[in-house]
Each structure stands twice: as C-alpha cells, then as structure tokens.
Amino acid sequence: MLGALYLLPLDRAMTKLESKGGVLYRRFMDDFIILAKTKRKFRQAILSMHKVLESLKLSLHPVKRCIGRTEKGFDFLGYQVHPGRKLRPSAVSLHRLTKRARQLYEQGVTEERLRQYVTRWHRWLHGGLDGLAAYKGGVTKYWVYELKNLHITGAMVRT
C-alpha cells in the first residue's frame, strides 16, 4: 500500500500529460503502462516518467520493461493485450497455472481440488474486468487444457 502511495507523484505527472491528449497511463500497484499516439508524445511521457522516478530515487526494472509498437500486442498484469481484441491470459500466466496445477497433482490432491484451483484461477482472469476478457469456453476450456498438460486420462470433464 505504501509503495502505491509512494508513486502518487508519477500519477500526477502522467495525469497532467493525459489531460493534454495523446497519452494513456494506467497503473496497478507498482506496474504501469504508458501508451501514446505519436513518438513525440511518447518521448515526452518517458522523459516525465524518468524525471519523477529519479526524484523519488527509483528506477525501472532492467528486464521487466518493454518499449515498442502495440500492433502485435503485449503482456501486462498477466494478460495478453491486443488492439481490438478481448484480453486473454498471457503465456506466462498459463505457464504458472500449469506449474501450480502440476504441483498440486503431484501432491496427490483430488480431482475436485484441482478443478477448484483452475476455477479460482479463471475467476481471477475475469475478476473486475467487466467483460473485457475473452470468455469463450469458460472454465471448462482451462480445465481441459490442464488435464491435457498433466496427461490425466479418464478424468471426468464436467461443464
């Protein structure tokens, strides 16, 4: 919570740029995204961001940052964002889902417990997004995905 409050100066600086148009800034805790319509607006936003972070004695993570065009999409907060499409889970999110499901399976949890985990993950995927995430196939889609990844045969697939 304190980390989120600590970044309020960044929020204020980006809101000022947003009000001038051409820049979109969104932050969740310590993760943020800056989108701009032109290179000029983007450079302006990046300069402002660096100035604020420097004044706060903060820096960006050397690996977890990406600067580029958005046509091919990008990952943010566990989602894959593509212009004109609904959100989908990122490859990293799916990998983590499978890794955790495999751990549970190897610990000998019941099929019902494993399905509950996948269901909760699915709720996270759609939580608070008000229809922005793709829902095609629902939780069953990810349940079947996990059964295949874990090579579980004979398991009952319920809808």
Side-chain angles (χ1 to χ4, degrees):
M1 184 67 148
L2 289 175
L5 291 173
Y6 196 71
L7 289 174
L8 281 176
L10 179 63
D11 294 345
R12 288 186 192 109
M14 292 297 120
T15 300
K16 194 180 290 186
L17 283 175
E18 275 187 301
S19 68
K20 295 177 183 177
V23 174
L24 175 76
Y25 165 80
R26 295 293 180 266
R27 179 170 69 87
F28 179 76
M29 302 301 281
D30 64 342
D31 295 318
F32 59 88
I33 186 168
I34 300 170
L35 302 172
K37 291 189 181 251
T38 66
K39 280 185 182 180
R40 187 176 147 272
K41 293 276 186 182
F42 186 68
R43 284 187 183 125
Q44 192 177 21
I46 294 299
L47 281 171
S48 182
M49 176 211 52
H50 279 295
K51 191 182 289 186
V52 171
L53 291 180
E54 189 177 304
S55 73
L56 296 172
K57 306 226 184 305
L58 296 173
S59 62
L60 296 175
H61 191 283
V63 177
K64 295 182 178 182
R65 60 180 167 182
C66 178
I67 295 177
R69 302 184 67 80
T70 60
E71 286 99 11
K72 294 181 181 177
F74 57 93
D75 290 354
F76 184 63
L77 297 176
Y79 296 95
Q80 196 174 52
V81 181
H82 283 273
R85 290 194 211 165
K86 291 198 173 217
L87 298 174
R88 290 175 169 71
S90 69
V92 172
S93 285
L94 289 171
H95 174 75
R96 287 181 182 151
L97 168 66
T98 299
K99 183 179 176 183
R100 179 67 177 131
R102 180 167 280 118
Q103 288 172 340
L104 290 170
Y105 182 66
E106 289 170 355
Q107 291 169 8
V109 300
T110 64
E111 179 185 328
E112 185 58 33
R113 172 66 182 92
L114 193 57
R115 187 175 174 89
Q116 287 172 355
Y117 173 72
V118 174
T119 301
R120 280 195 307 278
W121 179 87
H122 188 258
R123 285 185 191 138
W124 162 82
L125 179 67
H126 294 281
L129 293 177
D130 297 326
L132 293 174
Y135 199 81
K136 188 176 180 182
V139 71
T140 302
K141 172 183 173 179
Y142 297 104
W143 174 237
V144 171
Y145 172 83
E146 286 310 313
L147 291 175
K148 287 180 182 176
N149 278 327
L150 298 173
H151 306 291
I152 299 174
T153 57
M156 188 166 86
V157 179
R158 293 173 299 220
T159 55

